[in-house]
Amino acid sequence: MSTASRAEVCAVACAEAYRDNGEVIASAFGTIPAIGVRLARHTFSPDLMISDGEATAVRGTWAVGGPADGDAEAWLPFNQIFNLVWNGKRHIMMIPTQLDIYGNCNISAIGDHARPKVQLLGVRGAPGNTVYHPTSYWVPKHSTRVFVPKVDMVSGVGTDNARKAGPAATRYHELRTVVTDLAVLDFTPDTGRLRLVSVHPGVTVDDVVAATGFELVIGSDVPHTRMPTAAELELIRTVIDPRTLRDKEVQG
Amino acid sequence: MSLEDAVSQLRSGMTIGLGGWGSRRKPMAFVRALLRSDVTDLTVVTYGGPDLGLLCSAGKVRKAYYGFVSLDSAPFYDPWFAKARTGAELVSREMDEGMVKTGLQAAAARLPFQPTRAGLGSDVLGFWDGELQTVASPYPDAQGRTETLIAMPALNLDAAFVHLDIGDKHGNAGYTGVDPYFDDLYCLAAERRYVSVDRLVETEELVKAVPQQSIILNRMMVDGVVESPGGSHFTLSGSQGRDEKFQRHYVEAAKDPETWAAFKARYLDVSEAEYQSAVAEFAAEQAK
């Protein structure tokens, strides 16, 4: 077994975000988070519910980039997804276009809202997701373009804005994990600021600092992100991503 | 009734809801009929896709209420909606996806608003120029704190347009795919309700063709039924997949005025029957 690639380390870090989640919908955007949730369910988080990306919850473990070939276990049309979002039975991993020091996330547009320079998708479900259930983020390319001091518009609610909006916003607000191609981060409970948890093997703390457009909370001794086990690598390479789509998202 | 009959009952300045979701089971034949009409200055409520894009291409949208606008496959961003936004050609009432459902539910239940958490702490409040307010719960929580929530206003519609797979002439109609989306709510939220169907059948055939649970519209929820085979093209419906090649063709054509003029002449400045023939020709060309 050759050593793990950076993409494989990232996939396992995404899987770790879903450890001990219990029985919730694991919604994951991007190839590497999709590998992560399947890996988590196949190994240490068997109770996760995973959709085929359309309207059906599917059992089993299938390859990314193709149709779900497991057995259907439930119906999850969009209407029901909103009910489950509001009920809190979900942990989503979204891809922010911008993410700031307090975890505010922008996926809506770049520039001024009334007349944006670039129109993206709009806020989508980000405002609701962040105030109703656990939310994590996946950043395929950690850079100062993504990690900005202040986002152009708040789609996903950060810790500072949740607190400002009061108990109705903070009650179920829980930003969990930010996985990037360089590191794993989370949020300090007291200040709500983004904190470096670990750097991936081959990455230094200085690399992360240089690629981040604001000051991170950094402890005195930052560990390395754990390496995938041999069994995890086997599963990723032969079952979950045999076509190595993960290398298109993260190289090295 | 015909597509033209339905659209002739609209007036400029109305608020219309468009069913479906992104590039999924959109009432595209109705949208094309709207493009052929002189109805304009519309306020549109939608889970947006190429329906909103096409209306923007003709400058018919004054204001849009939406949770997102997506083509659901690459390049994802609708080119005409993006042009309208970056050119500040429309007033945007962007909101969380769940807020659209909440606003339609409020209208369906004839309530002025429904509370929701979604939107709190985000910039959505700022996008609405004061049109969106909060409401304090009269019931304190267990710790004695007051929860202040978004008071999502009812999204009352002058008219709703939806497309379903099969229906009868009275307005009973069902879907055959995996998801009803929110078409029932759009109809309940609207004054005038129009449904196009791929197949118009007798009631007896409808109730045999789909499970009862799939008949999401009954005749109390519909004012006009139009038989429009392929009426959701190029978005998907239960009976056919998305025409990905044609959707990409639409996106490419939007890139410059000349290619758009050609696209418009071939597919939009024509009747629905001519559109469907032109689409079949395009598919044949692509298959060569």
Side-chain angles (χ1 to χ4, degrees), chain A residues 75 79 108 124 154 171, chain B residues 85 94 97 101 123 141 178:
Chain A
W75 186 41
N79 187 40
S108 170
R124 288 221 73 155
V154 178
R171 171 154 288 175
Chain B
R85 286 281 289 126
E94 186 170 313
E97 289 170 7
K101 171 179 162 168
D123 278 348
D141 69 13
V178 291

Side-chain angles (χ1 to χ4, degrees), chain B residues 114-188:
Chain B
Q114 274 194 21
T116 176
R117 288 181 206 284
L120 289 172
S122 76
D123 278 348
V124 164
L125 277 159
F127 299 162
W128 282 52
D129 300 326
E131 209 180 296
L132 186 63
Q133 299 292 327
T134 56
V135 62
S137 170
Y139 310 107
D141 69 13
Q143 288 79 45
R145 300 179 306 179
T146 296
E147 289 202 283
T148 297
L149 299 147
I150 298 282
M152 180 63 209
L155 293 169
N156 294 303
L157 308 172
D158 293 313
F161 292 96
V162 302
H163 181 82
L164 288 169
D165 303 292
I166 184 166
D168 69 16
K169 66 184 176 193
H170 309 292
N172 303 299
Y175 70 100
T176 64
V178 291
D179 200 320
Y181 309 118
F182 298 87
D183 292 354
D184 49 347
L185 278 182
Y186 281 100
C187 289
L188 288 168

Side-chain angles (χ1 to χ4, degrees), chain B residues 196-208:
Chain B
S196 59
V197 293
D198 287 304
R199 271 205 309 145
L200 187 64
V201 298
E202 291 300 321
T203 311
E204 293 73 17
E205 192 181 341
L206 167 68
V207 297
K208 280 188 200 135

Side-chain angles (χ1 to χ4, degrees), chain A residues 213-234:
Chain A
F214 52 81
E215 196 185 336
L216 288 167
V217 178
I218 301 176
S220 53
D221 191 20
V222 178
H224 278 117
T225 311
R226 86 163 169 90
M227 291 294 284
T229 65
E232 286 168 340
L233 283 181
E234 172 79 13

Side-chain angles (χ1 to χ4, degrees), chain A residues 1-251:
Chain A
M1 181 77 58
S2 56
T3 51
S5 68
R6 178 66 58 77
E8 289 161 344
V9 170
C10 292
V12 170
C14 289
E16 283 291 343
Y18 284 91
R19 189 182 282 275
D20 300 328
N21 275 208
E23 210 157 41
V24 298
I25 298 175
S27 294
F29 288 88
T31 299
I32 285 173
I35 296 168
V37 295
R38 288 172 214 190
L39 182 65
R41 180 164 73 173
H42 196 95
T43 56
F44 49 73
S45 291
D47 291 338
L48 293 175
M49 188 169 281
I50 300 178
S51 150
D52 66 347
E54 197 67 36
T56 307
V58 180
R59 283 186 174 130
T61 304
W62 62 90
V64 291
D69 63 0
D71 295 329
E73 64 169 325
W75 186 41
L76 299 174
F78 288 119
N79 187 40
Q80 180 74 337
I81 291 286
F82 288 136
N83 292 338
L84 291 166
V85 165
W86 299 343
N87 201 243
K89 303 281 188 294
R90 191 166 179 241
H91 175 189
I92 195 170
M93 188 171 271
M94 296 188 285
I95 302 176
T97 303
Q98 296 175 320
L99 195 72
D100 73 17
I101 191 164
Y102 292 108
N104 294 291
C105 149
N106 177 21
I107 54 171
S108 170
I110 301 295
D112 176 50
H113 186 262
R115 187 175 195 139
K117 282 199 286 265
V118 183
Q119 176 64 44
L120 306 172
L121 290 172
V123 297
R124 288 221 73 155
N129 296 340
T130 44
V131 297
Y132 275 112
H133 61 63
T135 300
S136 294
Y137 291 106
W138 160 241
V139 178
K141 189 161 173 47
H142 192 136
S143 78
T144 53
R145 287 170 64 92
V146 177
F147 289 95
V148 295
K150 193 169 168 20
V151 297
D152 288 10
M153 46 197 92
V154 178
S155 312
V157 181
T159 54
D160 57 340
N161 281 312
R163 285 171 195 181
K164 273 183 222 156
T170 54
R171 171 154 288 175
Y172 305 113
H173 183 265
E174 191 186 344
L175 300 186
R176 287 232 176 119
T177 307
V178 180
V179 180
T180 80
D181 61 331
L182 300 182
V184 176
L185 305 101
D186 70 359
F187 296 88
T188 42
D190 52 345
T191 63
R193 282 181 51 191
L194 197 62
R195 172 172 71 180
L196 186 58
V197 172
S198 66
V199 290
H200 301 334
V203 178
T204 67
V205 171
D206 287 347
D207 293 336
V208 176
V209 168
T212 306
F214 52 81
E215 196 185 336
L216 288 167
V217 178
I218 301 176
S220 53
D221 191 20
V222 178
H224 278 117
T225 311
R226 86 163 169 90
M227 291 294 284
T229 65
E232 286 168 340
L233 283 181
E234 172 79 13
L235 195 59
I236 293 171
R237 292 173 184 177
T238 63
V239 177
I240 305 180
D241 186 21
R243 296 198 282 144
T244 62
L245 298 177
R246 59 193 178 281
D247 292 346
K248 291 200 169 78
E249 206 162 68
V250 169
Q251 283 95 40

